[in-house]
Amino acid sequence: MAVVGSGRPEPELDALAEAVGRGLAQRGATLVCGGLGGVMEAACRGARDAGGLTLGLLPGSARTDANPYLTVAIATGLGELRNGLVVRAADAVIAVGGGYGTLSEIGFALKLGRPVVGLATWQPSRGGEAVDSVIAASDPAEAVERALDLAGRR
């Protein structure tokens, strides 16, 4: 399961991400992310606190840039292009908040047919009309449940 979102610390979103990470680990899912701070770090912290496995696909060439809660850190050297790898490595994506990088991950996921569940994140539209593509969740527990269900991991 991929967890995507802002790399900047944002306390409210980070709390949601930490709960998502914890919930995924409690259900036995491996957490994949971009490996940096903010939502990524918070989700990894929650997963590791619950005994889970975390994998970070870093944008740069140094593993030392990784957040301290990663089990495995892979320095890709690909910059933002690593967003496609994060999504491709996952059965489903949970997006928590986020900026344009998160939007790109949502776009990649939808193009690849990966389900996307969102918490306080982007809701795409086309021509001003909502597109039913990102499944909104009201809380972290619902986000985890829906993502695992959609990924066929129940």
Side-chain angles (χ1 to χ4, degrees), residues 18-135:
E18 186 170 348
V20 164
R22 184 177 304 106
L24 289 172
Q26 289 169 341
R27 299 287 300 274
T30 297
L31 189 150
V32 179
C33 70
L36 299 176
V39 161
M40 297 169 277
E41 182 172 338
C44 289
R45 182 174 49 248
R48 287 295 298 271
D49 287 350
L53 178 68
T54 59
L55 169 67
L57 299 170
L58 301 163
S61 299
R63 281 193 295 262
T64 55
D65 293 338
N67 77 60
Y69 302 101
L70 288 172
T71 308
V72 178
I74 299 173
T76 68
L78 294 173
E80 290 78 18
L81 295 176
R82 70 73 156 89
N83 291 356
L85 296 177
V86 169
V87 169
R88 196 169 274 283
D91 297 323
V93 175
I94 299 175
V96 182
Y100 292 127
T102 304
L103 181 59
S104 77
E105 289 165 315
I106 290 169
F108 284 136
L110 296 173
K111 178 142 181 77
L112 292 169
R114 304 293 197 273
V116 179
V117 177
L119 280 169
T121 195
W122 297 89
Q123 288 296 328
S125 66
R126 181 176 291 134
E129 298 293 322
V131 177
D132 292 332
S133 53
V134 175
I135 298 148

